[in-house]
Amino acid sequence: MCIRLLCSCGWIDPLIACSVYRSITEMSKYLAQFQSIKSAADHIVIAVEDVSDVWPTVKRGFEERLPFKRACLNNKTRNLMFVEKLPAEFILTTDSRLRSRVPQEQLLFWFREPYATIVLVTCEDLDEFKTILKPRLKLILQNDDREWLIVFVSKAHPSNDQATKMAKKVYAKIEADFNSKKRERCYKLDLHGPEPSFWEDLESKIVESIRNTLDRRVQFYEDEMRKLSEQRCMPVWNFCNFFILKEILAFIFEIAHLYEDALREYDELELCYLETVNVTGKQREFGGIDHGDDQAALLNPANKALTQIVQDDSFREFDFRQYLFACQSKLLFKLNRPFEVASRGYSFIITFSKSLAQHENILPFCMREVWEITACLDLISVTSSHYNEGLAPLDIEKEFYRLLGDLYSLCRIKFMRLAYLIGYGSDIERSPVNSASLSMLPWPKPSVWPSVPPDASSEVLAKEKLILQEIPKVKSFGIQRKTLPLEPSVLLREANRRRASFSGANMLEMFDGSVSDASLRMSCSKKLQAIAMSRTNSSPGTFESSIDRPMRPAEIFVASEHALKSTISNPDLWKSLSSVEEFERKYLNLSKGAADNYHRSWWKRHGVVLDGEIAAIWFKHGNFDLAAKSYEKVCALYSGEGWQDLLAEVLPNLAECQKILDDKAGYLLSCVRLLSLDKGLFSTKERQAFQSEVISLAHSELKDPVPLDVSSLITFSGNPGSPLELCHGDPGTLSVTVWSGFPDDITLDSLSLTLTATYNADEGAKALKSSNATVLKPGKNSITVDLPPQKPGSYVLGALTGQIGLLRFRSHGFSKVGPADSDDFMSYEKPIRPILKVFNPRPLVDLTAAVSSPLLINEAQWVGIIVRPIDYSLKGAILHIDTGPGLMIEESHFIDMESYISVSESVPKLKNCHSNQKNSSLAVNKDFEQLHLDDGRIQLPDWASNVNSILWIPVRAINKSLARGSSSVTPPTQSIIDGMRTLALKLIFGISSNQTFERTIAVHFTDPFHVRTRVSYKGIDDTILLQVIIHSQVKASLTIYDAWLDLQDGFIHAGQGDGRPMSAFFPLVISPTSRAGLLFSICLEKTPTEVEVEAVRPESILNIQYGISGDRTVEAHPLLTSNSTGTEAAKNSSIFRSALVLERPVLDPSLAFGFLPLPSGDLRVGQLVNMQWTVERLKDLEDTESSQGKDEVLYELNANSDNWMIAGRKRGYISLPTKQGSKTVISILCVPLVAGYIRPPQLGLPDVNKANISCNPSEPHLIGVLPPAISSSFCIPASVGVLNIGCYCDVEPWLMYSGTLSSSL
């Protein structure tokens, strides 16, 4: 099969190929030599043919280039791969290592031959080259399949021109003879000064030669293996031959540092071997029975020679699979992938363990368990030493430590199984994790269970004593727990079933194997021990029967120990099983290793669980401090995951450690946590013991207060139904349901609840304290706490806090009310239901004025205040009244209070206060009471706490100014603000007078009349008829009993002179908001002298005696009792006085001016308009009118600058003679700037009183202006240098000088 390879490579002549065939077909004979060659060769060999003896001179230069940097080689798929450092060695062809390498009987190992040949030559004479050197080179290089390079070494000194020229001629001749067009094979090395790129070029050519040789050899081996694979179904197929070819190829890749390709070859080889092993119909020896096979060889390829494991045409599975994995691991370590070694190793151990289980009947006793232990330990040790922490990605690093944890855990479980078999079962912690692991691990299944050696009777007796002396472990608090099993079935029965001569006489066969109760098993074992002991005592030497007696447990342990001693060849492993102390030390190391690695991986919970196993060892040996720390981590894990069954196993141990360490706070917490567990996990007696410990510590043994969270023991919630609803600022009483998980009654020295606002996370919790001691019974309890006023919003229960002695507990456990017959205190509520709702500040009461119409000023009036409670009681309310400026309370009168019903109050809620107020009126007084004002306060009666009521307060509005009348020309200027008065009301109410309502009510006061004057007639004799119009300003009916006018100086009464009106139709009744008129006859008085002018009265006074008849519920009224009638009110009269100003002249203007019509034609924008006003003097001026006696009149024109441009003067004087009939015209040029209806300029006479001017009128309201006419001319004013814009216009050129017009255009 390899003849083709040998011939193609030139290492054998085809004539002798036939004689080599037989040796190649028997390649399995050379396995030992192949393995030694493989272990010795680790680099590529490059042959050096020193033709001219120059190697000693150039050797240093060549070896300095090693190893080759960034060598480019082809992998199996012909893809270029860069090898960072490719090791190689230059060896002379005369070296013995090359001469003795390939004898004809071992041509199989040609693969380690040189990958390239470098021929070193030198020559200083051209004739010598032609006659001697050239023929010799041709003889050396006659095999074209060999990769070779010629290096011509020039010894010529640069100063010797002749020698240099001759060297160049010789080298040129060598190039011409040995170079080809495809490849350049010749290079020149100048000893006195080589070219800078010589070594780089030579190195690249050497690497190219290595690559070509590697490609040819790989291709050939692939072809041969393909042919051999095609013959796999033929009887002559030999796996050993396939293995050698496959491993040669993998070895070629390995020495070329193409580790990925080498690893792939071993993977394919493993798959092929497994297929071969699984072929049915051919029995092969498994192996594993040699001494030392119990120690795994997963990482040592040279553990056994291949010749020792060969079997016919294949290899023993036990050794060969480990050999293949060792080769794979070696390559993975070179690839710096220890994580993959660990990952593959763990999977290999699990898989190979199954193969060991299939052949367990032919293997030594417990060979499977021992091999797994050693395999795990070796894999952990080697991979940990090769792993560099921090270089791998985080996920890879975490997974690597997880694999190490799994290996430690697997080793730990197998180690416990061996310890149990030799009698250390009582020293193994019967924890849930150990029970789960060992109870699912089957017993060893040897073909024959080991028997007790004849000389081991003393050992059996010692074991029996130890078994009888075993003391059952007692848990803290007297807890009785069912012992967890550590075995899949009863070992006594399993061992006796596998005895060689055992039959149905075994008494254990009478018991069903399905019995799982540990107590029954132990009782059966004790009975059998008793029977066996009696038999032994009666006949110590023999047992007279045709069948063997069953083995006792002590005998099983001793027999297993002796069998294991012969199986285990590792002294360290056997030492760890030699005694209980050594076992516990090794067990502790394995548990620590697993826990530490799990902690550094993703599986931190596994590490915590194993911390509990470590804590059990520490607890056993009295190291309670470390045990407590580990138990705390385990309990935290179990509690967080909700594994209460597991927590119940570990938590008592933690409590015992804390008790021994005098950690009272921790011990107290553990006791509370024990009480918090499910009731079914402990009996009532045990739970009562927990509670007694808590109470005892809380009241006697604690020095300082201890805070404790009892959220899982004491839970609470609000009562069922809707939450408690309160108004803003109101206190209350909150009822809360509390569930107690204590088995007996417990007294709480103090108890408080915190409320948390749901609307604001920043709002702090508010504590509600219970003043008295509280006794909680087991299960459901109801407690009440006082609730102070809270801010608006929804509130939930935040936490329950309290104190028992020096124990300060806190609970965050929320519960919801279960069924009526249920006291389930662990029924959690999600989400938390609000227990309290405090509404936002809303109108709890409303205070409004009963009457909106104005009341009489300067008169005593009733002001009604309507008090409306809005779904809130006003019991005990106090009303504070404070009057504003200009208002006083008539304290001589009582304050009336009566019930009030609105006409539109059919809807119970107050929706529209203003509209209701308009349609409201008093019904029949159901309740009436007179109240007294005490220091500005009124106590509201109880009957008014829940009904609408009205308060009648007697007040008087003060106004010291005199009312003023107006003329028909001048409108009244009185403001409503002048008669406005305020009442500041403050109502204090609520359960604890905590609510306050403040409102300022505005009450409108006014005079009963408003007076206007008008001159109705002027006679020739200067007699004037003055009409006085009286307007009623209240909604009540007014009655005028009398009226008289006190005239100012300058006027006198005509006729009787008593100041009464000309007609006396008194009493005169004026309806609400109506008017009446009085007519007075007056005349002008002679103008007083200058001395008298200083003492004149400037105003006339109108005096009106009147009465009012109104109802206080709707209008102004007289101040009487609430039962007074309108008739009685009319008998009371008051005097109203109003000031009137009479000016002279009244009907005699002196000037008249008017606006003259505009010229005909359309008025357009930009068109010049002449506006004219005429002014005429109507009468001669008297001497007394010195202010108006001038012959000049001041005028002023007002115009909107955006609409008009004024071309003339806006303000000036005109000449107007003082004679009657004098007339003048004022003309002003204007230009409209905008189109549309605009207001024209307004002309005024500033120095003339408006009473002396008669308008005609002065100007129209609006005039129409058209847009400018369209023009095609483009006007640019020549005289305006600054304005550089063009515009269309029809105006005169001089108008463009105007700045306003220019800017507008």
Side-chain angles (χ1 to χ4, degrees):
M1 147 175 49
C2 298
I3 295 177
R4 179 182 170 189
L5 170 66
L6 301 174
C7 295
S8 63
C9 295
W11 295 102
I12 184 172
D13 192 275
L15 298 177
I16 61 173
C18 294
S19 63
V20 184
Y21 175 76
R22 189 165 176 234
S23 62
I24 296 178
T25 57
E26 297 177 356
M27 287 185 290
S28 60
K29 296 180 181 181
Y30 305 106
L31 286 174
Q33 189 174 358
F34 168 71
Q35 194 169 8
S36 64
I37 292 173
K38 178 182 175 183
S39 61
D42 58 349
H43 57 266
I44 290 175
V45 175
I46 302 174
V48 178
E49 186 73 33
D50 190 8
V51 179
S52 303
D53 297 331
V54 294
W55 175 244
T57 306
V58 299
K59 178 180 179 180
R60 182 178 178 181
F62 276 87
E63 291 182 346
E64 285 179 350
R65 311 305 299 179
L66 299 178
F68 297 122
K69 310 296 189 300
R70 298 284 293 174
C72 183
L73 303 178
N74 289 326
N75 62 2
K76 187 176 181 180
T77 58
R78 301 301 185 268
N79 293 324
L80 290 177
M81 303 292 294
F82 289 93
V83 180
E84 294 296 331
K85 293 181 180 180
L86 180 63
E89 183 181 6
F90 294 100
I91 302 178
L92 290 173
T93 55
T94 57
D95 196 304
S96 61
R97 290 176 293 175
L98 290 184
R99 287 184 172 274
S100 61
R101 175 163 293 196
V102 189
Q104 289 186 354
E105 66 275 8
Q106 295 183 14
L107 291 179
L108 176 66
F109 308 110
W110 65 273
F111 61 87
R112 62 176 179 153
E113 293 306 312
Y115 279 73
T117 302
I118 298 177
V119 183
L120 298 177
V121 297
T122 183
C123 185
E124 298 178 354
D125 187 6
L126 193 59
D127 293 336
E128 180 184 354
F129 168 74
K130 293 180 180 180
T131 57
I132 299 175
L133 186 59
K134 182 177 178 180
R136 188 175 178 182
L137 290 176
K138 287 186 176 181
L139 180 63
I140 294 174
L141 306 175
Q142 64 181 350
N143 187 0
D144 292 336
D145 291 335
R146 185 190 308 177
E147 291 291 331
W148 52 268
L149 296 173
I150 298 176
V151 178
F152 178 76
V153 181
S154 175
K155 300 179 180 180
H157 197 274
S159 61
N160 191 343
D161 294 339
Q162 185 176 359
T164 302
K165 291 180 181 180
M166 182 57 66
K168 289 182 179 180
K169 290 182 180 180
V170 173
Y171 178 68
K173 195 65 176 175
I174 292 176
E175 284 185 321
D177 292 340
F178 294 98
N179 272 347
S180 63
K181 295 181 179 179
K182 295 182 178 180
R183 293 187 62 183
E184 182 180 356
R185 294 177 179 267
C186 300
Y187 293 90
K188 179 183 178 183
L189 173 60
D190 193 346
L191 293 179
H192 298 284
E195 296 181 4
S197 62
F198 168 76
W199 290 112
E200 287 75 10
D201 295 341
L202 180 62
E203 181 179 343
S204 64
K205 290 300 180 180
I206 294 175
V207 172
E208 182 182 355
S209 300
I210 295 173
R211 181 169 63 250
N212 294 336
T213 302
L214 179 65
D215 292 345
R216 285 199 300 270
R217 292 180 182 180
V218 170
Q219 183 62 43
F220 177 79
Y221 276 110
E222 287 180 350
D223 295 341
E224 292 301 321
M225 284 187 293
R226 188 179 302 110
K227 294 178 182 179
L228 197 59
S229 298
E230 293 174 355
Q231 302 174 2
R232 287 185 59 181
C233 298
M234 300 177 64
V236 295
W237 191 79
N238 191 316
F239 178 78
C240 290
N241 296 339
F242 180 81
F243 160 74
I244 292 177
L245 291 176
K246 197 74 172 175
E247 190 165 29
I248 286 174
L249 183 57
F251 180 67
I252 290 174
F253 285 128
E254 183 177 354
I255 62 176
H257 282 216
L258 298 175
Y259 298 129
E260 290 285 357
D261 296 276
L263 180 62
R264 191 177 298 110
E265 297 301 322
Y266 278 113
D267 291 341
E268 294 176 358
L269 184 60
E270 182 181 15
L271 292 175
C272 182
Y273 177 75
L274 293 177
E275 292 178 1
T276 304
V277 169
N278 294 330
V279 173
T280 58
K282 190 173 184 179
Q283 297 293 332
R284 291 183 174 85
E285 183 180 346
F286 180 75
I289 58 176
D290 298 336
H291 179 71
D293 283 349
D294 61 297
Q295 300 186 50
L298 294 182
L299 302 173
N300 185 13
N303 181 56
K304 280 187 179 182
L306 292 175
T307 54
Q308 297 179 10
I309 63 176
V310 68
Q311 181 188 8
D312 297 334
D313 59 346
S314 185
F315 301 93
R316 291 200 297 267
E317 181 180 355
F318 179 82
D319 301 294
F320 188 67
R321 289 187 64 182
Q322 294 187 75
Y323 170 78
L324 290 179
F325 185 84
C327 294
Q328 294 169 345
S329 302
K330 177 183 176 182
L331 294 172
L332 288 172
F333 284 132
K334 290 182 178 180
L335 289 170
N336 194 22
R337 279 148 55 177
F339 162 73
E340 192 169 346
V341 176
S343 177
R344 288 186 176 209
Y346 182 76
S347 301
F348 180 81
I349 291 173
I350 298 301
T351 305
F352 196 65
S353 176
K354 296 178 181 179
S355 299
L356 293 175
Q358 295 175 359
H359 301 85
E360 195 169 2
N361 55 348
I362 63 172
L363 295 175
F365 181 69
C366 289
M367 172 71 176
R368 175 187 177 188
E369 286 77 8
V370 176
W371 182 90
E372 288 184 73
I373 292 173
T374 57
C376 290
L377 294 177
D378 289 347
L379 202 58
I380 291 170
S381 175
V382 178
T383 53
S384 299
S385 63
H386 281 81
Y387 185 78
N388 296 321
E389 187 174 0
L391 299 180
L394 180 61
D395 55 342
I396 297 296
E397 183 172 334
K398 296 287 187 181
E399 191 66 15
F400 174 73
Y401 288 120
R402 195 270 302 170
L403 288 170
L404 293 185
D406 287 346
L407 291 171
Y408 269 115
S409 182
L410 178 60
C411 180
R412 173 180 167 275
I413 295 171
K414 299 296 181 178
F415 184 69
M416 284 192 294
R417 173 46 46 88
L418 296 182
Y420 190 91
L421 289 174
I422 62 177
Y424 297 159
S426 60
D427 298 294
I428 299 176
E429 180 69 17
R430 291 180 177 270
S431 62
V433 60
N434 287 344
S435 176
S437 301
L438 293 178
S439 61
M440 293 187 295
L441 186 67
W443 293 115
K445 298 178 181 179
S447 58
V448 177
W449 195 272
S451 300
V452 180
D455 55 348
S457 58
S458 60
E459 298 179 19
V460 173
L461 184 61
K463 287 286 185 182
E464 288 178 345
K465 289 182 179 180
L466 291 176
I467 294 174
L468 294 175
Q469 292 175 359
E470 287 183 6
I471 300 175
K473 295 181 181 179
V474 180
K475 285 185 174 290
S476 305
F477 306 101
I479 299 175
Q480 300 294 329
R481 307 295 271 176
K482 181 180 178 181
T483 304
L484 297 175
L486 295 178
E487 59 279 337
S489 59
V490 180
L491 177 60
L492 189 64
R493 180 185 179 206
E494 184 69 21
N496 285 294
R497 281 179 57 188
R498 294 190 174 275
R499 294 191 58 200
S501 59
F502 190 71
S503 66
N506 189 356
M507 290 188 65
L508 281 179
E509 292 291 333
M510 293 185 296
F511 297 99
D512 187 6
S514 62
V515 177
S516 59
D517 185 56
S519 61
L520 180 59
R521 294 181 182 179
M522 294 300 296
S523 62
C524 295
S525 300
K526 292 180 180 178
K527 292 178 181 179
L528 290 174
Q529 291 176 19
I531 296 173
M533 291 290 290
S534 63
R535 290 177 180 177
T536 303
N537 294 332
S538 61
S539 55
T542 59
F543 181 76
E544 296 180 0
S545 177
S546 59
I547 56 176
D548 294 340
R549 65 172 178 81
M551 294 177 65
R552 303 190 303 274
E555 295 174 334
I556 295 175
F557 296 151
V558 172
S560 300
E561 184 176 357
H562 281 270
L564 276 176
K565 188 172 183 180
S566 62
T567 302
I568 298 175
S569 61
N570 188 339
D572 294 334
L573 179 59
W574 177 248
K575 181 182 177 181
S576 62
L577 293 172
S578 60
S579 64
V580 175
E581 292 75 13
E582 293 294 335
F583 159 71
E584 289 181 346
R585 185 178 295 108
K586 184 67 173 179
Y587 172 78
L588 187 62
N589 292 335
L590 293 177
S591 300
K592 284 183 178 179
D596 293 342
N597 284 281
Y598 278 135
H599 282 305
R600 301 171 73 179
S601 70
W602 303 113
W603 293 11
K604 298 185 183 298
R605 294 192 299 181
H606 290 65
V608 174
V609 172
L610 290 175
D611 284 338
E613 306 307 311
I614 299 172
I617 300 296
W618 283 331
F619 181 80
K620 179 180 178 181
H621 293 282
N623 197 343
F624 301 109
D625 189 16
L626 295 177
K629 292 179 180 179
S630 297
Y631 276 136
E632 285 176 357
K633 293 192 291 185
V634 177
C635 292
L637 172 65
Y638 291 167
S639 177
E641 297 293 338
W643 300 335
Q644 294 200 16
D645 291 343
L646 299 178
L647 186 60
E649 295 286 339
V650 182
L651 194 54
N653 298 335
L654 174 60
E656 185 68 19
C657 291
Q658 292 167 337
K659 184 177 182 180
I660 296 173
L661 293 172
D662 199 25
D663 182 10
K664 294 184 174 59
Y667 181 55
L668 188 60
L669 174 60
S670 298
C671 293
V672 171
R673 294 174 69 180
L674 286 170
L675 285 169
S676 303
L677 297 179
D678 190 4
K679 295 179 181 179
L681 296 176
F682 299 103
S683 64
T684 304
K685 184 179 180 181
E686 294 168 350
R687 290 172 56 80
Q688 289 173 347
F690 301 155
Q691 181 176 345
S692 64
E693 289 290 326
V694 172
I695 296 175
S696 175
L697 285 172
H699 286 90
S700 60
E701 298 184 15
L702 293 176
K703 297 180 180 179
D704 300 319
V706 176
L708 197 61
D709 192 340
V710 294
S711 299
S712 56
L713 184 61
I714 299 178
T715 58
F716 54 93
S717 73
N719 288 331
S722 59
L724 177 63
E725 297 180 351
L726 294 177
C727 293
H728 174 61
D730 281 353
T733 301
L734 187 64
S735 179
V736 179
T737 302
V738 179
W739 282 266
S740 172
F742 289 96
D744 293 330
D745 294 352
I746 186 167
T747 301
L748 308 181
D749 298 337
S750 64
L751 181 67
S752 62
L753 287 165
T754 58
L755 291 180
T756 303
T758 60
Y759 63 92
N760 188 1
D762 298 332
E763 186 74 19
K766 302 176 181 179
L768 308 178
K769 296 183 179 180
S770 178
S771 57
N772 300 325
T774 304
V775 177
L776 293 183
K777 297 180 180 180
K780 184 177 179 181
N781 298 268
S782 180
I783 61 173
T784 57
V785 292
D786 294 332
L787 183 66
Q790 305 294 326
K791 292 183 178 180
S794 296
Y795 290 86
V796 296
L797 292 174
L800 183 144
T801 58
Q803 192 161 346
I804 305 173
L806 292 178
L807 170 62
R808 295 176 181 174
F809 65 87
R810 183 180 183 89
S811 173
H812 297 272
F814 305 101
S815 301
K816 65 180 180 180
V817 179
D821 56 347
S822 172
D823 287 336
D824 182 12
F825 64 93
M826 292 300 291
S827 180
Y828 293 102
E829 174 185 7
K830 296 180 180 179
I832 303 172
R833 183 175 57 88
I835 192 173
L836 171 66
K837 287 186 178 180
V838 179
F839 295 105
N840 288 321
R842 65 173 183 88
L844 303 179
V845 66
D846 189 30
L847 299 178
T848 57
V851 180
S852 60
S853 59
L855 302 178
L856 292 179
I857 200 167
N858 291 325
E859 299 290 343
Q861 297 283 284
W862 291 105
V863 174
I865 306 298
I866 301 175
V867 182
R868 289 190 178 92
I870 305 175
D871 297 332
Y872 198 84
S873 176
L874 300 181
K875 188 175 182 179
I878 298 176
L879 179 64
H880 293 258
I881 304 174
D882 185 17
T883 58
L887 187 65
M888 60 178 293
I889 297 177
E890 295 288 337
E891 296 184 0
S892 59
H893 291 76
F894 285 101
I895 296 176
D896 296 344
M897 188 170 189
E898 55 193 5
S899 58
Y900 172 79
I901 298 177
S902 175
V903 173
S904 58
E905 206 169 285
S906 58
V907 181
K909 294 183 180 180
L910 186 62
K911 295 182 178 179
N912 192 345
C913 177
H914 296 289
S915 61
N916 289 348
Q917 181 176 328
K918 294 179 182 180
N919 299 325
S920 62
S921 63
L922 277 176
V924 179
N925 292 342
K926 296 182 179 180
D927 298 287
F928 178 82
E929 188 172 348
Q930 287 188 333
L931 307 176
H932 181 68
L933 185 66
D934 184 12
D935 195 16
R937 296 181 301 174
I938 301 174
Q939 178 79 36
L940 299 186
D942 293 342
W943 60 264
S945 60
N946 293 309
V947 298
N948 294 345
S949 58
I950 185 169
L951 280 170
W952 293 107
I953 305 173
V955 298
R956 182 187 298 271
I958 306 301
N959 187 8
K960 296 181 179 180
S961 62
L962 190 63
R964 305 188 66 84
S966 62
S967 65
S968 59
V969 177
T970 305
T973 58
Q974 184 179 6
S975 174
I976 192 173
I977 303 300
D978 298 337
M980 196 69 67
R981 300 293 186 270
T982 58
L983 274 175
L985 304 177
K986 181 179 180 181
L987 183 65
I988 299 176
F989 60 101
I991 300 174
S992 57
S993 299
N994 57 296
Q995 299 288 352
T996 302
F997 180 82
E998 297 183 10
R999 171 166 290 182
T1000 299
I1001 295 178
V1003 184
H1004 185 202
F1005 292 89
T1006 184
D1007 293 319
F1009 306 104
H1010 174 69
V1011 179
R1012 293 180 60 191
T1013 59
R1014 172 175 180 272
V1015 177
S1016 61
Y1017 176 77
K1018 178 182 178 184
I1020 300 175
D1021 54 353
D1022 292 335
T1023 300
I1024 300 174
L1025 295 182
L1026 180 63
Q1027 183 180 10
V1028 178
I1029 303 173
I1030 302 174
H1031 294 264
S1032 173
Q1033 297 190 123
V1034 295
K1035 292 185 177 180
S1037 297
L1038 297 173
T1039 302
I1040 299 177
Y1041 298 107
D1042 194 6
W1044 62 93
L1045 179 63
D1046 296 332
L1047 292 174
Q1048 66 190 67
D1049 293 336
F1051 298 91
I1052 60 175
H1053 289 281
Q1056 299 178 0
D1058 56 357
R1060 295 304 193 271
M1062 297 176 61
S1063 59
F1065 298 104
F1066 299 115
L1068 178 61
V1069 179
I1070 303 176
S1071 301
T1073 65
S1074 61
R1075 59 184 178 176
L1078 299 176
L1079 190 62
F1080 292 90
S1081 176
I1082 62 175
C1083 61
L1084 297 177
E1085 187 181 8
K1086 184 179 179 181
T1087 302
T1089 62
E1090 293 182 0
V1091 178
E1092 295 174 343
V1093 168
E1094 296 179 359
V1096 297
R1097 288 185 298 175
E1099 298 175 335
S1100 301
I1101 304 299
L1102 177 63
N1103 302 279
I1104 301 176
Q1105 182 183 3
Y1106 72 96
I1108 184 170
S1109 59
D1111 189 354
R1112 68 180 181 180
T1113 60
V1114 292
E1115 56 196 4
H1117 52 275
L1119 183 58
L1120 297 174
T1121 60
S1122 59
N1123 297 325
S1124 61
T1125 62
T1127 305
E1128 296 174 348
K1131 297 179 181 179
N1132 298 325
S1133 61
S1134 301
I1135 302 298
F1136 170 74
R1137 303 174 74 243
S1138 177
L1140 302 177
V1141 178
L1142 303 179
E1143 296 183 357
R1144 299 180 64 223
V1146 179
L1147 296 176
D1148 193 10
S1150 60
L1151 295 176
F1153 74 94
F1155 182 78
L1156 297 181
L1158 294 173
S1160 61
D1162 297 333
L1163 184 61
R1164 293 182 178 273
V1165 173
Q1167 181 181 351
L1168 190 63
V1169 180
N1170 186 14
M1171 293 199 175
Q1172 296 180 340
W1173 290 266
T1174 178
V1175 181
E1176 182 181 359
R1177 193 177 294 278
L1178 300 179
K1179 67 175 182 177
D1180 294 335
L1181 296 181
E1182 299 179 0
D1183 295 338
T1184 57
E1185 297 178 347
S1186 59
S1187 62
Q1188 302 174 5
K1190 299 178 181 179
D1191 57 356
E1192 289 185 347
V1193 178
L1194 177 66
Y1195 74 92
E1196 183 177 13
L1197 188 67
N1198 297 319
N1200 189 348
S1201 60
D1202 295 335
N1203 298 336
W1204 295 92
M1205 183 183 70
I1206 308 302
R1209 294 180 61 181
K1210 295 183 179 180
R1211 184 182 177 92
Y1213 287 92
I1214 57 172
S1215 177
L1216 184 64
T1218 59
K1219 282 188 176 184
Q1220 183 178 1
S1222 299
K1223 184 184 296 185
T1224 186
V1225 176
I1226 302 174
S1227 299
I1228 298 177
L1229 292 176
C1230 303
V1231 178
L1233 302 178
V1234 296
Y1237 288 95
I1238 59 177
R1239 186 175 298 279
Q1242 307 288 322
L1243 184 66
L1245 303 177
D1247 290 346
V1248 180
N1249 196 325
K1250 291 183 179 181
N1252 291 321
I1253 298 175
S1254 175
C1255 296
N1256 194 25
S1258 60
E1259 64 276 331
H1261 293 290
L1262 296 173
I1263 60 175
V1265 180
L1266 298 177
I1270 299 176
S1271 175
S1272 60
S1273 61
F1274 186 75
C1275 301
I1276 301 177
S1279 59
V1280 181
V1282 179
L1283 187 61
N1284 293 324
I1285 60 173
C1287 59
Y1288 295 98
C1289 62
D1290 289 334
V1291 298
E1292 295 295 332
W1294 68 269
L1295 290 176
M1296 300 301 293
Y1297 285 93
S1298 174
T1300 305
L1301 181 59
S1302 300
S1303 61
S1304 300
L1305 292 174

